[in-house]
């Protein structure tokens, strides 16, 4: 029954793996709907697919006092805006002292990018009763739209800096039931985008604008507030599309190279570890569709050449984990344990080494993700995802597969590339030979003793 159950479970895992691989690389059409493969759904970076670029220039009416730090602040805010919209590989760099160049990869609708960025504007919060400006866009750290169950609708949440929180707290305390308009200034023209009523004193630097008609309205207001945070007034100088910087065939060649490398690794594992190598190959084949699914569905992933390097590195970590486990199993079997006991002991003893090596890499990936920008963050993110998945496949999937194969062929150590050590074989031979030599003297001695007793009795 155990053997039959293991065969069924292995068959199910094999079918799931095949379906996963088909869904990873094949696109299907079902009537009017189309299923995109995991691979084709992954957002690609500027170096692999191209995108759009735009150059913004500081308005001539702006004063030049403290210009360098103000341009640096505007660059950071613009980059954060694009990142928050899912364009994690977008880059914003300075050109000269008064220009910013924005490059956004893998964009189907270039006009959408400029709608997200908006025409750079100045933002201010003004008390309607006095006309006094309480805040500017520089005081707003974050603006987010979401559904608030307490408010019973969509809201826009604002987070202010320390100076803005103090000014806002004083203004709201003294003007309850008054309106405060949020005004953007574009090309010298003021536009009121919202006029919320002050319902209570807000002294903690966190305000909520309620009464939004829909999610789209809330998101639009949040985007307008965010795009008005720039510290200098900018105007669009030029924009255009760009082709892949590595060439159109770079991605295809990368996929072919990765597939060849994976097949060579699988062939080596099977040659070196026999059925254990087959187990490792099955785990790697299951790892591929899971990894592609995460890359296709996580909103922060935009794959570039450094990102592909992160995927391949994490794949190597998965292979390394299997090698550590198998060598431990072989050591335990050489020492004289059974195949099943060797498997349990091998996984147990390899776990600590695998976790230690992966945790150090995870720490490095997290540091790069926090402090890096652009392609560095893309590399760190794919590496982080890949390591977590490789731990899952190596420690859980591989363990189960080994267990099922051992249930099918429990007395075939050669099939798993397992051999007894010479020390164990010599010890076993010695133990089997010694009893045969000692048995005869004991019987003779016993017979002699009986004879002596018999003589004494007579």
């Amino acid at each position: 029954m155990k053997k039959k159950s293991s065969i069924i479970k292995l068959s199910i895992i094999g079918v799931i793996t095949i379906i996963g691989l088909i869904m990873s690389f094949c696109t299907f059409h079902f009537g009017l709907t189309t299923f995109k493969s995991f691979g084709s759904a992954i957002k690609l970076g500027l170096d692999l697919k191209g995108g759009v670029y735009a150059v913004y220039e500081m308005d001539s009416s702006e004063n030049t006092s403290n210009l360098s730090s103000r341009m640096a602040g505007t660059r950071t805010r613009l980059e954060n805006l694009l990142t928050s919209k899912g364009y994690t590989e977008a880059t914003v760099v300075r050109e000269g002292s008064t220009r910013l160049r924005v490059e956004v990869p893998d964009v189907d609708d270039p006009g959408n990018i400029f709608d997200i960025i908006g025409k750079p504007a100045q933002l201010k919060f003004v008390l309607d009763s006095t006309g006094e400006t309480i805040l500017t866009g520089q005081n707003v750290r974050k603006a987010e739209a979401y559904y608030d169950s307490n408010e019973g609708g969509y809201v826009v949440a604002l987070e202010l800096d320390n100076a803005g929180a103090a000014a806002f707290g004083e203004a709201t305390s003294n003007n309850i039931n008054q309106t405060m308009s949020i005004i953007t200034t574009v090309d010298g023209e003021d536009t009121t985008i919202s006029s919320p009523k002050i319902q209570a004193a807000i002294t903690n630097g966190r305000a909520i604008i309620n009464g939004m008609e829909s999610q789209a309205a809330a998101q639009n207001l949040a985007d307008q507030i965010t795009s008005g945070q720039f510290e200098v007034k900018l105007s669009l100088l030029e924009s255009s599309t760009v082709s892949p910087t590595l060439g159109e065939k770079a991605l295809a060649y990368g996929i072919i190279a990765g597939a060849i490398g994976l097949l060579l690794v699988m062939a080596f594992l099977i040659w070196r570890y026999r059925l254990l190598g087959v187990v490792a190959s099955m785990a790697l084949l299951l790892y591929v569709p899971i990894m592609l699914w995460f890359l296709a569905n996580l909103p922060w992933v935009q794959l570039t050449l450094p990102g592909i390097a992160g995927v391949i590195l994490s794949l190597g970590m998965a292979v390394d984990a299997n090698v550590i486990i198998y060598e431990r199993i072989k050591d335990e079997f050489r020492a004289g344990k059974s195949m099943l006991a060797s498997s349990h002991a091998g996984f147990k003893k390899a776990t600590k080494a695998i976790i230690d090596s992966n945790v150090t890499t995870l720490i490095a990936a997290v540091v790069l993700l926090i402090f890096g920008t652009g392609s560095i963050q893309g590399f760190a993110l794919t590496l982080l995802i890949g390591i977590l998945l490789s731990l899952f496949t190596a420690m859980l999937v591989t363990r189960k597969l080994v267990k099922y194969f051992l249930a099918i062929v429990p007395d075939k150590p050669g099939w798993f590339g397992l051999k007894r050590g010479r020390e164990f074989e010599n010890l076993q031979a010695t133990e089997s030979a010694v009893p045969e030599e000692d048995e005869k003297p004991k019987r003779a001695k016993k017979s002699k003793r009986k004879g002596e007793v018999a003589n004494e009795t007579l």
Side-chain angles (χ1 to χ4, degrees), residues 195-391:
S195 296
K197 180 182 288 188
I198 302 172
Q199 298 177 342
I202 303 172
T203 58
N204 60 357
R206 296 178 181 274
I208 290 179
I209 303 174
N210 55 19
M212 298 291 105
E213 298 177 357
S214 62
Q215 181 183 9
Q219 189 63 57
N220 182 56
L221 178 58
D223 291 343
Q224 288 179 301
I225 293 174
T226 303
S227 64
Q229 297 177 9
F230 306 134
E231 299 187 30
V232 295
K233 187 178 179 181
L234 300 172
S235 57
L236 181 62
L237 187 64
E238 62 174 303
S239 64
S240 182
T241 59
V242 292
S243 59
T245 57
L246 294 178
E248 296 180 357
K249 296 183 178 180
L251 180 60
Y253 289 153
I255 293 174
I256 293 172
I260 294 174
L262 182 62
L263 291 175
L264 290 175
V265 168
M266 290 168 58
F268 171 79
L269 289 172
I270 294 173
W271 170 78
R272 183 73 174 81
Y273 297 106
R274 311 289 178 84
L275 272 180
L276 289 178
V278 174
V279 169
S281 300
M282 289 181 65
L284 290 177
L285 289 177
L286 186 60
Y287 168 90
V288 170
I290 296 176
M291 183 65 179
L292 292 178
W293 185 87
F294 274 97
L295 294 179
N297 289 278
L298 288 178
W300 320 287
V301 176
Q302 199 151 29
L303 198 62
T304 60
L305 194 62
I308 293 176
V311 174
I312 295 175
L313 181 58
S314 63
L315 188 63
M317 297 290 287
V319 175
D320 178 67
N322 284 320
V323 170
I324 293 174
I325 292 169
Y326 294 163
E327 289 299 327
R328 288 288 189 180
I329 292 175
K330 293 175 72 174
D331 289 342
E332 297 297 323
F333 189 78
R334 288 193 194 101
K337 292 183 179 180
S338 67
M339 292 176 61
L340 187 59
S342 300
S343 172
H344 290 311
F347 275 99
K348 184 177 180 180
K349 292 183 178 180
T351 298
K352 185 177 180 181
I354 293 172
I355 291 177
D356 286 346
S357 63
N358 282 275
V359 164
T360 53
T361 310
L362 283 173
I363 293 173
V366 170
V367 171
L368 289 175
L369 192 61
I370 294 174
F371 296 102
T373 58
S375 297
I376 296 176
Q377 284 185 325
F379 167 78
L381 185 59
T382 55
L383 179 62
L384 183 65
I385 297 169
I387 290 175
L388 293 175
L389 291 179
S390 69
L391 279 173

